[in-house]
Amino acid sequence: MSGGPSDPPGAGGSSLRLIVGLARAIAQTRDDPAAVAEVATRALVHEFADGSAVTLGADLDIRAYAHRDPGAEELLRDNFGGMPLGLLPAGRVIASGRPIFHPQMPAEFAADLSPELRAFVRRYEVASVIIVPIRAEDAVVGALSLWREHGRPPFDDDDLDTAHVCAEHVGLALEHALVFRALRDREARFELAVRATQEVLWDWDVTTHEVLWGDAMDETLAWPRDQVRSTFGWWADHIHPDDRARVLAEIEVIIRDNADRERWQLEYRFCRGDGGWADIIDRGFVQRDDHGRLRRLVGAMQDVSDRVAVTRRLARREASYRAFIAACDEAIWCLEGDEPVATELPADAQIDLWYARWQIRECNDAMARLHGYERADELRGADMGLVFPRDDPRLCELHRAFIARGHRLVDFELVEPDRGGGERRSLCSLLGTVDDGRLHRVWGTRRDVTALLRQATGLTRDRPARAQTDPRAEDLPGLLRAGQLGTWSLDPGTDVPVLSRELADILGRPPEGDADPWAAVHPEDRARVRAELHAAAAARGDYAIEFRFVRADTGALGWMEVRGRASHDASGRATAIHGIGIDITRRKQVELDLRDSEQLFARAFGKNPNPMTVNAIPGGEYLEVNEAAIRAHGFSREEMLGKSPRQLGVLVDADDIDRFDRLLGQRHPVRDLEMRLRSKAGRAFSVLMSAERIEYRQRPCVLTVAVDVSARKRAEWALLESEERFRQIAATIDEAFWLMEFSPYWRFVYVSPGWEHAWRRAPEDLYGDPTLWTRAIHPDDRVAAESSQRDLVTGAVDFRDLEYRVVRPDGAVRWIRDRGTLIRDASGRPWRAAGIAEDITERKLAERERERLVSDLQVAIAVRDDFLSVASHELRTPLTALGFHLEHLVRLVARGEHDPEVLGRKVDGAIRQIGRVTALVDSLIHVSRMSLGRLSLDLTEFDLVDLVRDLVARIGPDAQRARCDVRVDVPAELPGAWDRKQLDQALHNLLANALKYGAGRPVDVRVHDCGRVVVIEVQDRGIGIADEDRPRIFDRFERAVSSAHYGGFGLGLYIARRIVEAHGGALEVTSTPGQGSTFRLQLPRQAAQP
Amino acid sequence: MNEDKEGLMNRAPIILIVEDDRDIRDVLAEILAEEGYQVLVAEDGADGLRRLAEGPLPDLILLDLMMPRMDGYQFREEQRKNPAWSGIPLVLLTAGVETSDKITALGALDIVRKPVKIDFLLDLIGAAVRRAA
């Protein structure tokens, strides 16, 4: 912006810098139009605030108003006198005088200066104002304003032009920003759209609040496409109300904290299109722009309902177990340690190890009470010695019996002294879990039967004889009630049971006068119970029968177990059937629950669409596999059972084998472990494996569920990589990809890093300033490049293939091949162009080299052809003369001519021709020998002066014929070591040349003694040699002038040069055309063999 | 042949030899003179033109092509420019391997490649002189 009095002389240059700086600044913030305008303003001020143009900063107020800024119009109106944004003029106002408007100013503003504008001019005391509209997408979107205070010369037309250029750049940058963003979004969404998987992919553009849903929404979640709304709100509304607040809070955190591309995972229930709830695992990543602002949230919803259902059922079963254990009247405990105990050890060694290593892992309250504690928690984790003293001989017996019977012991009777000085009797059962020859844990139960044994001795198998006791004995009731049992007896003869009061209570019968105690038994079980009792009595065995009962008072259903034995008389007839009845309702319910749960589990397991397996611990052998697992692995059930995944080759990666082993040792449930498996056919697939420890067939096992995620992994990877792939390709190749758009100005929207490679300029610079492209081109190629660009932009051509040179900032020149293809929009107008610019400098150089070689070759061929023609001429000439001489001789003799002088002349002439032919042939042989590098020297000591004098004498007749006077200037003598014959040849050639081209003028031969070097000069005063011919006259078959004029092969100088060089000397020539040449021959005094 | 020449012109036919090689030129001049021709010699094109200018005009020109200073082509060009000389028949005597097109364009009566038998050359000259007469 020139025009200010204090502008430095280079103000024009600073304007340019301003534009470039502006463009660069804009390019850096191109994603955000508001930031563009802000930075544009800052850049302007900054440029003018730096030393070179400091004065402009103070009196310039440059404002750019943002695109989409709702306040822009208002601001413009306030500042620029009510001018509507759309009509913003490009003009100049001078406050002090009459307003002068730019020709483009609309008439309504030219007619009168609006009062607001006048007020503005007065208020700010400005001398002149430039207001320039900023256009983008063919609309005015803002304004660039510059004003200057009083006391400064007003702006002039140059300033206006500069302001226009600035505004144009701001507009261009704004436009570029929008186009670039749209382009990127479009591409990314396209990638999403094409990758429809079973999972519901979704893409939430946070700037538009639009959510794009993948096709699987229909298939997986039963949502018809037309019912799915593309909003974030719709999604949030369909999250289960119990999960919604949590999920939204998690999303907020993700949006706030996740880095670009960082993965996240959410779990929630989502409403299906058919009204059900689906358990969803939603995984994805966030995408941020270069400034860390959130751009998109991309995810994939996976329906994991099946898996969750199984997990819940398992949990329910676990709960049932626990409830049973907790509620059980018997003491129950479990002993387990970090290390299993080998079963092949001697029994006592095994027992020692238990005591050393094992703890009470699990027990119930009944167990605690049995040992004088209140709650099970107090015992859990305690050493087993706490409740099972190591030195107790009975316990020792118990444990030995347990080991001796194969780690399974039922109803072992323990007798211990109790606190009252009596004895306590209990029945103890132990069950060990043995696997792979090692005992992993022991479950134990213990039932205190002291009272029973004492009061109902006849009912125990050990003391059947004492069963005569009256069941209604007065001292029993308290005990029996506490044990939830009662006694009864039956006379087989009457078939009427007699119930104790306690039993009647349990069954809800009247305590006295029960007419029909059988009514207590559920009608469906009555016959069976009766039959079993009689059968037991007949067989003289113990009985234990379970049946349902119906309480007479409440009608409630319960379960009872009766057990006992019959008494027989001497004849063996059953006299009475005694027994105890125990209320087992609670236990039975738990058992039934368990059975239901087992069935549910079996169904969930068998029918589950995901591969599920039960694997043994610790080996990992398959104990059970479902249909999906069989399908996924490709093995038959028989092939899989009993083999471990490792044995089957299902696990391939060492890492995964490790992970699986760890998983087997894990006590806690494991979720979504990523693993790669291989089927029998060799197909590799990725799964997310979840595992949970369960008890299966009395063995500790791991239940695994694998979800095949191969398809999803592929989609995820593809999604992640799709953008990267293009960038990587673009980044790794040397060629530069470029993509340009034409409307409304042509400019680059993408240039790959390869650009930098060839241009040594940052591709980003091009975004802000497309003219950088042309400016970097070599001036000689620029016109062609610009014309080609014009053709592309106007659509005159659809393809360009252009070669041009670019000048790098360091001045180096590179050749570029730039190929571009025009892309037209739907209406056929040129829309974009895409292409590749490659650095072909090396190729170009090689081409040049090849061209040079071809040209050299062509010259060589021409020289050879010329030589052949000359050689032919040269050889034919003496042969013709020879023929004529001989034929003439014949004619003379035939005519009777006998004059010996006449005949002798003819013969002499003939002999001379033979000499000429011989000399020609000799020189040819000489040359061919030299060109084969066979020039060897026959060095002798001789006087060079002698040689020169001899040569000049011999060439005398030729000199005479050429009418040249040969003058000699030599020292007295000049001995040295050279090849005399060769040197003679070289000097002869030089002299012959001088005579040939000497134009009949005197030729000088001079010899100088220069110590270790001798110099011989041959100077003629003939036609001379042109400068451009001088370098080549020493080559083979070369001559400076047309061969038509001078005889000889053109080999003379070549031969001379080779001979001199073989001597270690040099042959040079100085010449002035028209005045003659001087050949200067330098030789070492003592030549050596080359 | 002497009869013919005398009958036609009452003088010996004049032959101009333009040839740079002295041996060929001298021996040819000697032979032609012995055959009764009046012989003019020139050692290159320029010399030939000088001979034509000095006169007398020859009845036939024997022209070599490759010569220093001024070659046969240039000589022929100059000869054709002068109406007084352009009608003089020309026999080319060349040792080169020039392309026939270029030579044909010279409009020579005959083209003889060196080396050549002297008898053949003499027959050719004799016929050419007779035809010109």
Side-chain angles (χ1 to χ4, degrees):
Chain A
M1 264 155 256
S2 60
S6 47
D7 279 358
S14 72
S15 297
L16 189 65
R17 275 218 319 284
L18 169 124
I19 294 165
V20 172
L22 183 60
R24 197 167 291 151
I26 287 167
Q28 283 161 6
T29 56
R30 59 178 174 266
D31 273 356
D32 186 343
V36 169
E38 191 189 320
V39 169
T41 313
R42 266 208 319 270
L44 285 166
V45 174
H46 173 76
E47 278 292 324
F48 282 83
D50 80 19
S52 62
V54 68
T55 51
L56 286 172
D59 61 352
L60 269 179
D61 180 346
I62 300 158
R63 295 185 182 189
Y65 295 93
H67 186 70
R68 286 187 182 171
D69 176 357
E73 185 117 4
E74 205 175 313
L75 273 164
L76 283 163
R77 222 174 275 138
D78 286 353
N79 277 333
F80 302 116
M83 283 184 227
L85 195 55
L87 283 175
L88 196 70
R92 164 158 53 122
V93 183
I94 300 189
S96 52
R98 191 167 55 82
I100 301 166
F101 295 100
H102 193 271
Q104 285 176 8
M105 175 76 98
E108 60 263 39
F109 293 104
D112 187 24
L113 201 59
S114 68
E116 288 89 346
L117 195 52
R118 266 183 221 287
F120 166 80
V121 164
R122 263 199 306 279
R123 182 158 30 124
Y124 295 105
E125 296 193 318
V126 295
S128 53
V129 181
I130 293 175
I131 311 162
V132 181
I134 296 171
R135 292 174 197 278
E137 291 182 329
D138 288 336
V140 175
V141 298
L144 190 71
S145 76
L146 294 82
W147 67 72
R148 190 166 272 174
E149 294 163 12
H150 276 304
R152 299 272 184 184
F155 288 125
D156 60 18
D157 278 346
D158 287 347
D159 299 322
L160 188 62
D161 287 346
T162 310
H164 267 296
V165 174
C166 286
E168 201 173 292
H169 273 82
V170 175
L172 204 64
L174 289 171
E175 217 164 273
H176 178 88
L178 295 170
V179 169
F180 188 83
R181 201 170 63 178
L183 175 77
R184 211 166 66 171
D185 291 353
R186 229 179 7 240
E187 282 172 354
R189 282 182 195 165
F190 171 74
E191 291 292 340
L192 268 180
V194 296
R195 287 174 213 299
T197 70
Q198 261 210 317
E199 288 170 38
V200 184
L201 296 177
W202 55 268
D203 175 15
W204 177 33
D205 185 332
V206 296
T207 52
T208 61
H209 295 289
E210 196 183 358
V211 181
L212 292 176
W213 296 101
D215 292 338
M217 195 68 175
D218 191 348
E219 195 185 323
T220 308
L221 292 176
W223 277 106
R225 283 223 77 91
D226 54 352
Q227 289 183 28
V228 178
R229 302 255 308 280
S230 299
T231 62
F232 182 74
W234 183 84
W235 171 74
D237 286 346
H238 288 82
I239 295 175
H240 194 284
D242 294 350
D243 297 337
R244 197 177 297 144
R246 171 183 57 83
V247 169
L248 292 180
E250 282 175 5
I251 289 258
E252 250 178 68
V253 171
I254 290 164
I255 288 173
R256 194 184 63 219
D257 295 343
N258 275 37
D260 189 30
R261 310 267 178 210
E262 187 180 333
R263 302 285 299 272
W264 50 259
Q265 175 173 332
L266 293 171
E267 289 179 35
Y268 53 86
R269 281 163 291 176
F270 192 79
C271 187
R272 291 169 54 88
D274 54 19
W277 292 103
D279 290 289
I280 297 292
I281 290 184
D282 197 346
R283 295 185 181 82
F285 54 88
V286 298
Q287 198 182 50
R288 293 181 186 276
D289 64 15
D290 297 342
H291 304 281
R293 279 183 294 252
L294 184 72
R295 185 60 69 216
R296 290 156 64 216
L297 211 62
V298 179
M301 289 164 67
Q302 185 194 1
D303 184 351
V304 294
S305 305
D306 289 339
R307 182 153 31 116
V308 170
V310 169
T311 313
R312 289 219 186 97
R313 279 170 201 150
L314 283 172
R316 211 181 307 146
R317 203 175 70 129
E318 169 94 5
S320 296
Y321 269 127
R322 291 197 177 284
F324 168 67
I325 291 168
C328 193
D329 291 330
E330 297 181 18
I332 297 176
W333 69 94
C334 175
L335 302 174
E336 195 178 1
D338 291 336
E339 277 183 55
V341 172
T343 51
E344 79 261 15
L345 292 172
D348 285 345
Q350 288 188 41
I351 295 166
D352 283 343
L353 282 173
W354 300 349
Y355 277 93
R357 296 175 180 172
W358 284 17
Q359 292 91 33
I360 299 167
R361 182 166 80 84
E362 188 56 78
C363 72
N364 61 357
D365 287 347
M367 171 74 176
R369 282 193 300 272
L370 186 67
H371 291 281
Y373 296 89
E374 280 183 20
R375 282 175 297 105
D377 290 347
E378 296 172 65
L379 289 183
R380 282 196 192 109
D383 288 339
M384 62 182 283
L386 184 68
V387 286
F388 303 110
R390 179 71 180 92
D391 50 5
D392 184 331
R394 279 297 291 161
L395 284 175
C396 201
E397 193 189 329
L398 169 73
H399 289 145
R400 282 182 188 143
F402 167 68
I403 293 168
R405 296 190 195 173
H407 299 89
R408 208 180 163 88
L409 187 65
V410 180
D411 283 354
F412 184 89
E413 189 174 308
L414 272 178
V415 183
E416 302 155 288
D418 72 357
R419 270 169 256 163
E423 62 179 15
R424 186 170 69 180
R425 290 173 176 269
S426 54
L427 292 180
C428 201
S429 296
L430 294 177
L431 181 64
T433 304
V434 180
D435 192 67
D436 205 13
R438 296 191 298 171
L439 182 68
H440 289 260
R441 75 185 65 74
V442 175
W443 278 97
T445 63
R446 182 168 175 183
R447 189 152 37 107
D448 191 344
V449 290
T450 317
L452 282 178
L453 286 171
R454 192 184 300 147
Q455 301 300 336
T457 45
L459 301 184
T460 69
R461 61 190 85 165
D462 295 348
R463 315 256 167 106
R466 290 158 74 181
Q468 304 295 333
T469 315
D470 182 351
R472 279 177 290 180
E474 289 302 314
D475 55 344
L476 264 179
L479 271 167
L480 290 177
R481 273 201 191 87
Q484 285 245 302
L485 49 79
T487 57
W488 71 292
S489 64
L490 176 75
D491 180 348
T494 62
D495 191 36
V496 176
V498 179
L499 310 182
S500 73
R501 183 180 295 268
E502 295 76 23
L503 197 59
D505 273 357
I506 294 169
L507 295 172
R509 307 301 301 177
E512 306 282 344
D514 189 347
D516 181 16
W518 275 113
V521 180
H522 193 282
E524 288 176 15
D525 294 345
R526 215 172 283 158
R528 175 176 60 87
V529 173
R530 197 177 266 147
E532 284 185 23
L533 278 174
H534 286 289
R540 294 186 173 218
D542 290 348
Y543 65 86
I545 303 166
E546 285 182 7
F547 61 86
R548 286 171 288 173
F549 66 85
V550 183
R551 277 183 74 100
D553 48 357
T554 62
L557 196 68
W559 280 87
M560 174 157 285
E561 181 186 29
V562 290
R563 53 200 310 173
R565 133 177 319 194
S567 315
H568 299 84
D569 59 15
S571 64
R573 199 176 61 88
T575 53
I577 300 167
H578 305 282
I580 57 169
I582 309 163
D583 184 352
I584 57 164
T585 308
R586 253 193 306 168
R587 197 181 78 200
K588 202 68 192 174
Q589 268 168 356
V590 167
E591 274 178 23
L592 286 176
D593 274 0
L594 264 177
R595 207 178 62 199
D596 287 351
S597 156
E598 289 279 8
Q599 276 172 1
L600 275 173
F601 170 71
R603 203 173 305 142
F605 182 85
K607 301 276 185 245
N608 199 290
N610 294 315
M612 294 180 81
T613 66
V614 177
N615 298 76
I617 292 175
E621 296 85 12
Y622 289 108
L623 298 179
E624 192 51 77
V625 292
N626 71 351
E627 287 302 319
I630 289 167
R631 269 200 310 277
H633 289 98
F635 293 102
S636 69
R637 184 185 304 277
E638 291 67 35
E639 283 175 312
M640 290 183 81
L641 294 185
K643 298 268 173 46
S644 71
R646 195 200 297 220
Q647 286 168 327
L648 286 175
V650 165
L651 292 168
V652 271
D653 297 346
D655 276 0
D656 283 343
I657 291 173
D658 265 13
R659 281 158 126 190
F660 190 76
D661 287 346
R662 272 206 304 281
L663 181 142
L664 289 175
Q666 192 69 258
R667 291 202 182 289
H668 306 290
V670 176
R671 298 285 310 265
D672 292 346
L673 205 58
E674 278 200 25
M675 290 186 133
R676 278 176 63 75
L677 306 182
R678 181 158 298 172
S679 74
K680 187 182 182 184
R683 178 183 73 99
F685 57 105
S686 298
V687 298
L688 288 181
M689 188 173 277
S690 298
E692 197 151 335
R693 185 175 277 226
I694 60 165
E695 190 103 354
Y696 182 78
R697 293 183 194 149
Q698 284 85 50
R699 295 184 66 177
C701 301
V702 163
L703 173 75
T704 75
V705 185
V707 179
D708 188 342
V709 291
S710 302
R712 196 188 66 211
K713 279 209 87 75
R714 279 199 296 276
E716 271 181 13
W717 276 107
L719 194 65
L720 267 171
E721 287 178 354
S722 62
E723 282 190 23
E724 292 305 318
R725 199 181 308 138
F726 175 73
R727 281 182 202 292
Q728 279 166 8
I729 291 169
T732 47
I733 65 163
D734 288 346
E735 288 90 351
F737 285 124
W738 53 258
L739 180 64
M740 55 172 78
E741 274 196 14
F742 297 153
S743 177
Y745 317 98
W746 81 264
R747 68 213 179 277
F748 290 98
V749 289
Y750 179 75
V751 178
S752 75
W755 179 273
E756 191 153 5
H757 180 78
W759 265 255
R760 292 280 192 270
R761 289 170 206 267
E764 289 75 24
D765 292 352
L766 274 176
Y767 298 149
D769 185 7
T771 64
L772 206 61
W773 179 73
T774 34
R775 278 192 284 127
I777 294 174
H778 193 281
D780 292 353
D781 298 340
R782 204 173 289 159
V783 174
E786 279 170 344
S787 145
S788 146
Q789 179 64 17
R790 211 159 33 238
D791 286 348
L792 206 58
V793 171
T794 57
V797 296
D798 278 274
F799 186 77
R800 82 151 174 237
D801 188 347
L802 182 67
E803 287 184 7
Y804 52 80
R805 285 161 290 178
V806 296
V807 184
R808 287 179 174 170
D810 63 5
V813 173
R814 304 295 290 180
W815 274 97
I816 303 294
R817 182 180 183 192
D818 192 333
R819 280 170 293 175
T821 305
L822 182 66
I823 303 165
R824 294 175 185 272
D825 65 13
S827 59
R829 279 190 303 262
W831 170 51
R832 283 172 154 189
I836 292 176
E838 57 183 315
D839 186 336
I840 54 163
T841 309
E842 311 309 327
R843 196 196 310 165
K844 206 76 184 167
L845 288 177
E847 243 170 58
R848 287 256 176 99
E849 180 63 15
R850 196 178 58 84
E851 276 168 17
R852 198 183 61 78
L853 287 174
V854 167
S855 145
D856 283 359
L857 195 64
Q858 281 167 345
V859 167
I861 289 169
V863 166
R864 193 203 59 185
D865 288 349
D866 194 29
F867 166 75
L868 285 177
S869 144
V870 169
S872 160
H873 181 268
E874 290 303 307
L875 287 168
R876 281 162 196 270
T877 301
L879 287 175
T880 306
L882 176 64
F884 286 172
H885 278 300
L886 293 177
E887 281 177 296
H888 195 201
L889 184 63
V890 171
R891 291 172 78 94
L892 289 172
V893 171
R895 263 203 334 244
E897 178 64 64
H898 294 295
D899 183 351
E901 204 214 324
V902 173
L903 297 180
R905 204 152 43 78
K906 289 290 120 186
V907 173
D908 282 348
I911 290 170
R912 193 163 60 245
Q913 303 317 313
I914 290 167
R916 283 173 71 185
V917 172
T918 307
L920 284 168
V921 170
D922 277 353
S923 76
L924 277 179
I925 291 167
H926 208 132
V927 166
S928 85
R929 211 179 270 153
M930 278 192 291
S931 57
L932 289 171
R934 287 198 201 131
L935 195 64
S936 62
L937 300 178
D938 178 16
L939 299 172
T940 51
E941 286 278 341
F942 63 92
D943 180 8
L944 187 62
V945 173
D946 180 47
L947 172 73
V948 170
R949 286 189 192 285
D950 179 43
L951 180 62
V952 171
R954 270 187 284 126
I955 213 159
D958 289 337
Q960 230 171 357
R961 212 174 305 191
R963 292 187 289 276
C964 284
D965 184 14
V966 180
R967 302 182 298 209
V968 179
D969 175 11
V970 293
E973 59 166 12
L974 191 44
W978 303 281
D979 183 325
R980 179 160 186 144
K981 210 173 146 200
Q982 303 266 19
L983 204 52
D984 186 272
Q985 172 82 60
L987 286 172
H988 179 272
N989 289 356
L990 291 181
L991 258 176
N993 249 22
L995 295 177
K996 195 189 282 181
Y997 301 104
R1001 302 202 184 94
V1003 171
D1004 284 308
V1005 180
R1006 291 183 288 273
V1007 178
H1008 306 285
D1009 182 355
C1010 302
R1012 295 168 66 176
V1013 172
V1014 298
V1015 174
I1016 309 161
E1017 284 176 330
V1018 178
Q1019 183 184 10
D1020 67 62
R1021 292 167 180 77
I1023 59 172
I1025 304 159
D1027 286 352
E1028 62 269 25
D1029 292 332
R1030 214 168 299 150
R1032 61 180 182 88
I1033 56 170
F1034 295 110
D1035 288 342
R1036 254 189 308 177
F1037 310 136
E1038 288 288 358
R1039 59 182 82 219
V1041 294
S1042 159
S1043 56
H1045 296 95
Y1046 297 92
F1049 287 152
L1051 293 170
L1053 287 176
Y1054 171 75
I1055 293 170
R1057 178 176 66 96
R1058 291 295 308 265
I1059 291 170
V1060 170
E1061 283 173 358
H1063 278 86
L1067 180 59
E1068 301 163 351
V1069 64
T1070 52
S1071 178
T1072 312
Q1075 292 181 25
S1077 313
T1078 303
F1079 285 86
R1080 195 160 183 273
L1081 194 157
Q1082 270 191 52
L1083 283 174
R1085 188 67 165 270
Q1086 301 288 330
Q1089 202 58 243
Chain B
M1 75 173 80
N2 287 352
E3 266 177 21
D4 288 348
K5 274 176 259 174
E6 280 158 19
L8 284 165
M9 297 178 170
N10 280 327
R11 61 167 174 84
I14 303 170
I15 309 285
L16 170 62
I17 303 171
V18 186
E19 165 65 65
D20 66 328
D21 190 87
R22 194 174 151 181
D23 279 306
I24 294 174
R25 193 173 64 228
D26 289 355
V27 73
L28 206 49
E30 212 174 324
I31 293 168
L32 285 174
E34 285 168 8
E35 288 296 314
Y37 295 99
Q38 185 182 341
V39 181
L40 302 174
V41 292
E43 62 184 36
D44 58 38
D47 199 21
L49 290 176
R50 193 167 48 74
R51 289 281 176 206
L52 288 178
E54 282 171 357
L57 285 180
D59 297 298
L60 183 78
I61 301 172
L62 267 181
L63 180 68
D64 185 16
L65 277 179
M66 281 168 76
M67 291 181 291
R69 281 193 290 280
M70 181 188 281
D71 63 19
Y73 298 100
Q74 289 165 296
F75 170 84
R76 178 63 171 161
E77 203 182 323
E78 294 300 317
Q79 183 213 337
R80 280 173 149 178
K81 278 183 193 164
N82 189 329
W85 303 341
S86 58
I88 303 170
L90 183 78
V91 170
L92 283 180
L93 192 60
T94 175
V97 286
E98 297 87 351
T99 55
S100 52
D101 283 359
K102 213 175 157 195
I103 297 177
T104 313
L106 291 173
L109 211 53
D110 276 301
I111 299 160
V112 180
R113 300 271 180 192
K114 292 178 190 171
V116 61
K117 286 269 186 198
I118 196 70
D119 288 345
F120 176 80
L121 187 60
L122 289 174
D123 286 353
L124 208 82
I125 292 169
V129 169
R130 274 198 299 281
R131 222 173 14 250

